[in-house]
Amino acid sequence: AVAPDLAGRHVVISAGGTREPLDPVRFLGNRSSGKQGYALARTAVARGARVTLVAANAALPDPAGADLVRVTTASELREAVLKAAADADAVVMAAAVADFRPAARAESKIKKVPGRDPDPIALVRNPDILAELSSAKTPGRVVVGFAAETDDVLANGRAKLAAKGCDLLVVNQVGEDRAFGAEENEAVLLAADGGETPVPHGPKEALADEIWDAVARLLRGASAG
Ligand code: C5P
């Protein structure tokens, strides 16, 4: 049996990958499967939390016992997460959120014109939800981000943790067939207080439980202080 160390806590988890429409049939997207976020939802339910899972385009079974909100775009994900976060004790941003979206969304399918080169796709920046959650943080709330890096994983992770202002950053090395879509993951948990916890290669549930251990510790520290 698992210790119900998240009982009485509301945790919000984002999972999957956002899709930014170009026209009614096309989008800019990414390779996130949602598996790590869903593993976080299942393990949080097992540890007694009330769980809101904001899922972007994941084709996975609904996790039993969690409130599921489905979204498509980064701006929908932002709205759903901010709404659910109003009374949350912890927010874990496991979703791969598009940094940019097409500046315009065509009403009709974009046609290819024979003999003409395609128009370039103009992009605009999406709001950074993790940075927004971190800067608007109520005392005692724990905010966790993810970083998928291909190079200089730890140095880039430290810089990202500072830039985003979150309490914990889960850094994993991606590329080729690592992490995205896989059943297993390997990561380092970087804490704003300087802590560094390597989590060896293993099931996404095991990494999820390591993340909840760290979150539960921070929540206990906050209520003790
Ligand atoms: O900056 P980068 O995309 O590498 O940061 C990844 C982390 O930031 C993830 O936790 C992701 O959910 C979050 N993010 C966000 N809003 C964005 C882009 C990323 O919340 N627009």
Side-chain angles (χ1 to χ4, degrees):
V2 191
D5 58 353
L6 295 175
R9 306 290 193 177
H10 178 207
V11 304
V12 177
I13 300 151
S14 70
T18 62
R19 293 179 177 179
E20 309 297 320
L22 282 156
D23 70 12
V25 297
R26 304 185 181 96
F27 57 82
L28 298 182
N30 61 68
R31 297 163 63 92
S32 177
S33 65
K35 286 175 186 168
Q36 185 63 61
Y38 276 59
L40 280 156
R42 289 192 300 273
T43 49
V45 168
R47 294 168 78 137
R50 176 160 78 84
V51 177
T52 304
L53 176 64
V54 178
N57 312 297
L60 295 169
D62 294 0
D67 292 324
L68 181 63
V69 183
R70 291 184 189 282
V71 298
T72 302
T73 64
S75 96
E76 289 168 13
L77 189 138
R78 174 177 173 275
E79 253 181 60
V81 167
L82 294 184
K83 185 168 169 229
D87 68 349
D89 298 288
V91 183
V92 182
M93 286 292 296
V97 182
D99 293 314
F100 306 102
R101 67 176 181 278
R105 176 196 179 151
E107 295 278 332
S108 322
K109 189 180 167 197
I110 299 165
K111 295 287 193 190
K112 56 178 173 293
V113 181
R116 222 186 87 187
D117 286 339
D119 290 333
I121 298 170
L123 300 175
V124 294
R125 194 175 285 280
N126 274 332
D128 189 321
I129 306 159
L130 177 60
E132 191 174 342
L133 283 164
S134 302
S135 68
K137 210 159 87 73
T138 54
R141 176 183 299 165
V142 175
V143 178
V144 183
F146 272 68
E149 302 286 345
T150 52
D151 307 284
D152 292 329
V153 176
L154 285 183
N156 284 326
R158 273 282 161 215
K160 190 162 286 185
L161 177 70
K164 301 265 189 181
C166 51
D167 302 294
L168 272 177
L169 192 73
V170 184
V171 188
N172 48 64
Q173 184 153 23
V174 293
E176 304 289 305
D177 48 3
R178 297 178 79 142
F180 275 23
E183 297 301 330
E184 305 207 319
N185 214 346
E186 176 182 347
V188 181
L189 309 190
L190 299 180
D193 66 8
E196 193 172 303
T197 313
V199 182
H201 189 82
K204 288 187 172 179
E205 258 83 11
L207 175 56
D209 271 318
E210 289 281 350
I211 294 166
W212 293 126
D213 287 349
V215 168
R217 212 176 301 125
L218 288 170
L219 286 172
R220 275 196 305 272
S223 38

